[in-house]
């Protein structure tokens, strides 16, 4: 087995070394030192020097590198240098970007500090040399500047973390507490008795020892809600904890969620109370969301419509609900399907405007009053009231009233009934014929005084009218009385005044045999002529 003959590659290796050496010497010649000495960047070793290719730092002296070592996370070397010099050289960024090629510019500080910057643009590269005007050790000046610039930011971040109302703390990979802000420490002091937990490091026991955080694989934040009970307090404190993975551990941010939890509990209790209230209502309730799907209903709706609970709990739409009700004959029967569909459209459109209210007469004789009302966020609420008994009672009363009126109309005596407020509430045909007034005139006769005006105008003066007025106005025990009235056409009538229940008054005129005509007073001739036509 023959060995490797490295001598064959010696010329190639020597050529590569020579090329690298020439390139290195060419780079040195780009930055000749004023004294003629050639160094790595052509500068005395005591001066911080930065060499940039565009915005990328490609070389720097050890002192220069040390100045920006403690820069904030996410800040490039160029931006860190500009931040370091911003206070004394506020225009350095613009001068750095706009310096023409082949030019060298010396920049003096704005506030008169013993510092200076030499900026050179040559061969596509830019060099920044930090110097001191008084010839002192420039590293001392810029080291102090770095401590001031970056130290102010660190102090500001420290103050922000301590002033934050959120609880902020950091744990290592073993779950041990390694850092916490002032808010966290304040809660830790209040929960001192809960601090004796094995494995703690500092500053005592962890507040959320049972915090179970499942960090996401993508490295994003994870959120969870936890409670904390402090020593001597019965109520729990709630926090929304955001956890983020960090190198070597996890950082947690806990925001006070007491107000949110109380609001959610109040909302839950309100909804429970509302649901219990709805469950006791005799009115059927159906609430549809903006997609017209059923979101809430009460037991009364089940009882009134006969719809299965499974069907309603499946959140049917308005059309599905009404179609099912029609199949079960729980809707009014229209003449045709088209008009029925139009009724559905009318129902929804009018409910949106808050104007829908109709009575549904069902085929089985029941009557529902259906009312539609708009709700927030485009929702609709429909209320179903079973008014069958009310409608039946109303019809019964109407029948009784019509029967009573028919009976009154068959009586030959003229009858008028007045309420306890002396308002005319009922007359018969004989009354309207005697005084020659029609239905419209009866409606215009509002009370006893208007009616007595009509009676006086059609009759001779009589002492009965003042007595009748006093009878109707009396508040105590009243006794019926009668007296004779002579009409202008010569007929005689007996006027009977009788009290009724509820402090009502009935006045009845019984016509006797006509006698000869009497001369009507001049004030009543027009009315006499009207009666004479009969």
């Amino acid at each position: 087995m023959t060995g490797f003959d490295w001598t064959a590659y010696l010329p190639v290796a020597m050529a590569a070394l020579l090329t690298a050496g020439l390139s290195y010497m060419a780079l040195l010649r780009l930055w000749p030192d004023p004294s003629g000495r050639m160094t790595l960047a052509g500068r005395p070793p005591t001066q911080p020097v930065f060499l940039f290719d565009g915005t990328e730092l490609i070389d720097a002296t050890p002192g220069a590198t040390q100045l920006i070592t403690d820069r904030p996370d996410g800040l490039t070397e160029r931006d860190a240098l500009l931040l370091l010099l911003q206070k004394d050289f506020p225009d350095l960024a613009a001068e750095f970007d706009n310096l023409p090629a082949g030019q060298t510019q010396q920049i003096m500080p704005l506030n008169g500090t013993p510092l200076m910057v030499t900026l050179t643009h040559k061969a596509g590269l830019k060099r920044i040399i930090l110097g001191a005007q008084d010839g002192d050790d420039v590293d001392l000046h810029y080291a102090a500047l770095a401590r001031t610039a970056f130290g102010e930011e660190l102090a500001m971040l420290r103050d922000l973390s301590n002033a934050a109302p959120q609880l902020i703390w950091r744990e290592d990979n073993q779950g041990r507490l390694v850092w916490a802000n002032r808010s966290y420490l304040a809660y830790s002091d209040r929960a001192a008795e809960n601090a004796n937990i094995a494995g703690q490091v500092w500053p005592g026991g962890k507040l959320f020892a049972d915090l179970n955080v499942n960090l996401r694989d993508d490295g994003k934040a994870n959120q969870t809600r936890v409670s904390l009970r402090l020593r001597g307090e019965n109520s729990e404190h709630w926090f929304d904890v955001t956890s983020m993975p960090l190198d070597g551990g996890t950082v947690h941010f806990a925001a006070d969620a007491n107000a949110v939890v109380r609001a959610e509990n109040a909302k839950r209790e309100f909804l429970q109370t509302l649901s219990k209230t709805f469950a006791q209502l005799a009115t059927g309730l159906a609430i549809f969301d903006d997609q017209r799907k059923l979101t809430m209903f009460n037991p009364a709706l089940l009882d009134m419509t006969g719809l299965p609970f499974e069907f309603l709990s499946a959140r049917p739409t308005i059309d599905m609900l009404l179609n099912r009700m029609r199949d079960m004959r729980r809707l009014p029967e229209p003449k045709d399907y088209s008009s029925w569909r139009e009724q559905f459209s009318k129902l929804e459109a009018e409910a949106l405007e808050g104007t829908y209210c109709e009575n549904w007469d069902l085929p089985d004789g029941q009557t529902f009053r259906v009312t539609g009302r708009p709700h927030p966020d485009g929702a609709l609420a429909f209320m179903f009231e079973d008014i069958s008994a009310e409608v039946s009672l109303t019809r019964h009363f109407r029948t009784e009233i019509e029967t009573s009126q028919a009976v009154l109309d068959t009586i030959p005596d003229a009858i008028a009934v007045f309420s306890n407020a002396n308002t005319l509430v009922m007359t018969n045909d004989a009354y309207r014929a005697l005084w020659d007034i029609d239905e419209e005139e009866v409606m215009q006769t509002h009370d006893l005084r208007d009616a007595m005006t009509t009676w006086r105008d059609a009759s001779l003066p009589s002492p009965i009218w003042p007595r009748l007025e006093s009878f109707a106005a009396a508040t105590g025990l009243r006794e019926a009385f009668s007296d004779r009235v002579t009409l202008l056409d010569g007929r005689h009538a007996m006027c009977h005044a009788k009290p009724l229940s509820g402090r009502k008054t009935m006045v009845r005129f019984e016509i006797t045999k006509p006698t000869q005509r009497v001369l009507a007073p001049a004030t009543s001739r027009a009315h006499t002529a009207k009666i004479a036509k009969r």
Side-chain angles (χ1 to χ4, degrees):
M1 182 176 187
T2 58
F4 176 73
D5 187 8
W6 60 272
T7 58
Y9 295 92
L10 184 60
V12 177
M14 293 299 294
L17 289 174
L18 180 60
T19 302
L22 291 175
S23 300
Y24 178 70
M25 295 301 295
L27 177 63
L28 292 179
R29 285 195 297 273
L30 287 175
W31 310 105
D33 186 81
S35 63
R37 294 176 296 166
M38 301 301 293
T39 59
L40 177 61
R43 76 282 189 226
T46 58
Q47 290 181 314
V49 181
F50 301 84
L51 185 62
F52 290 92
D53 184 0
T55 59
E56 181 182 1
L57 180 67
I58 60 175
D59 197 6
T61 60
T65 303
Q66 187 63 32
L67 291 179
I68 59 175
T69 298
D70 296 330
R71 67 182 182 274
D73 294 340
L75 212 61
T76 64
E77 292 93 341
R78 174 185 177 276
D79 293 337
L81 177 61
L82 295 177
L83 176 62
L84 176 69
L85 303 175
Q86 182 178 10
K87 184 175 180 180
D88 295 318
F89 305 92
D91 298 329
L92 179 60
E95 293 169 344
F96 177 87
D97 294 334
N98 300 323
L99 182 67
Q103 298 291 321
T104 298
Q105 183 176 356
Q106 198 171 63
I107 306 172
M108 295 300 173
L110 181 65
N111 55 8
T113 57
L115 304 174
M116 58 182 294
V117 172
T118 302
L119 180 62
T120 303
H121 187 180
K122 190 173 183 181
L125 303 177
K126 293 181 181 179
R127 180 179 67 176
I128 296 179
I129 302 177
L130 308 183
Q133 300 177 40
D134 54 9
D136 291 342
D137 188 352
V138 70
D139 287 337
L140 296 177
H141 290 291
Y142 282 95
L145 185 63
R147 286 195 301 272
T148 300
F150 300 143
E152 286 179 354
E153 183 174 2
L154 291 175
M156 179 187 67
L157 294 176
R158 187 179 298 110
D159 292 340
L160 287 175
S161 64
N162 283 326
Q166 293 84 6
L167 280 62
I168 307 175
W169 72 100
R170 183 176 179 180
E171 299 175 1
D172 60 16
N173 289 328
Q174 285 72 42
R176 295 173 299 187
L177 183 66
V178 296
W179 177 85
N181 71 340
R182 188 173 299 165
S183 297
Y184 184 97
L185 297 178
Y187 271 91
S188 181
D189 291 342
R190 295 169 61 184
E193 290 185 355
N194 298 330
N196 298 321
I197 302 174
Q200 77 272 12
V201 177
W202 174 89
K206 295 194 302 181
L207 284 176
F208 307 100
D210 56 348
L211 180 62
N212 184 16
V213 178
N214 297 320
L215 296 178
R216 298 169 51 168
D217 296 336
D218 56 6
K220 294 184 178 180
N222 181 68
Q223 293 183 342
T224 184
R225 178 169 292 174
V226 296
S227 63
L228 175 66
R229 190 181 296 275
L230 299 178
R231 173 170 49 90
E233 297 185 11
N234 294 327
S235 60
E236 292 181 321
H237 294 260
W238 288 89
F239 297 89
D240 287 331
V241 180
T242 302
S243 305
M244 300 183 64
L246 205 62
D247 292 340
T250 307
V251 61
H252 304 275
F253 304 86
D256 189 338
N258 286 326
V260 176
V261 171
R262 283 195 295 268
E264 291 178 351
N265 290 337
K267 179 181 179 181
R268 188 179 304 110
E269 293 175 358
F270 174 75
L271 290 177
Q272 290 175 353
T273 303
L274 202 62
S275 299
K276 293 178 181 178
T277 303
F278 287 161
Q280 302 299 323
L281 289 178
T283 300
L285 181 67
I287 299 179
F288 297 86
D289 60 15
D290 57 346
Q291 301 299 320
R292 301 298 174 263
K293 291 185 177 180
L294 184 65
T295 59
M296 183 181 294
F297 61 92
N298 65 342
L301 184 69
L302 294 170
D303 297 337
M304 295 175 62
T305 62
L307 294 171
F309 175 80
E310 294 77 10
F311 172 74
L312 294 179
S313 61
R315 301 186 62 193
T317 62
I318 291 181
D319 286 349
M320 294 171 60
L321 178 69
L322 296 178
N323 277 327
R324 187 68 174 268
M325 290 179 65
R326 180 176 181 268
D327 294 340
M328 299 176 63
R329 295 178 60 81
R330 305 303 292 171
L331 283 179
E333 283 294 341
K335 295 181 179 179
D336 54 52
Y337 186 79
S338 299
S339 64
W340 182 71
R341 293 299 303 173
E342 291 176 1
Q343 183 183 17
F344 280 3
S345 301
K346 176 184 177 183
L347 183 148
E348 183 174 348
E350 292 187 355
L352 281 173
E353 299 175 359
T355 59
Y356 183 82
C357 184
E358 287 190 4
N359 292 343
W360 288 3
D361 295 321
L362 306 186
D364 61 357
Q366 282 187 294
T367 303
F368 289 169
R369 178 185 290 127
V370 182
T371 306
R373 291 289 182 269
H375 267 228
D377 301 324
L380 287 176
F382 289 96
M383 291 165 283
F384 296 80
E385 299 176 74
D386 188 350
I387 60 172
S388 302
E390 177 184 341
V391 171
S392 176
L393 187 60
T394 301
R395 290 171 180 170
H396 177 70
F397 284 161
R398 184 181 298 114
T399 301
E400 286 191 350
I401 292 173
E402 291 175 352
T403 302
S404 300
Q405 185 66 52
V407 171
L408 280 178
D409 289 340
T410 62
I411 297 176
D413 295 343
I415 297 176
V417 180
F418 299 88
S419 69
N420 59 347
N422 290 329
T423 301
L424 182 63
V425 295
M426 184 180 294
T427 61
N428 64 347
D429 288 344
Y431 176 87
R432 294 186 290 274
L434 175 62
W435 303 111
D436 196 23
I437 55 178
D438 53 22
E439 290 285 350
E440 185 176 353
E441 289 180 295
V442 171
M443 295 301 298
Q444 293 175 355
T445 305
H446 298 295
D447 54 22
L448 179 61
R449 181 168 298 182
D450 293 335
M452 289 179 63
T453 300
T454 301
W455 302 341
R456 282 193 179 101
D457 290 345
S459 62
L460 297 178
S462 174
I464 193 176
W465 307 127
R467 185 180 178 186
L468 182 59
E469 190 171 1
S470 300
F471 175 81
T475 57
L477 183 62
R478 299 184 299 170
E479 293 185 2
F481 72 93
S482 301
D483 203 348
R484 186 180 298 275
V485 176
T486 302
L487 303 181
L488 295 181
D489 61 0
R491 291 180 298 170
H492 294 278
M494 288 298 297
C495 178
H496 305 279
K498 183 179 181 179
L500 300 179
S501 61
R503 291 201 50 79
K504 296 183 179 66
T505 301
M506 181 182 73
V507 180
R508 179 169 61 89
F509 296 93
E510 181 184 359
I511 303 297
T512 62
K513 185 178 179 180
T515 61
Q516 62 180 4
R517 292 184 179 272
V518 297
L519 182 62
T523 56
S524 303
R525 289 175 181 172
H527 194 77
T528 303
K530 180 178 180 181
I531 296 179
K533 296 178 181 179
R534 298 178 66 246

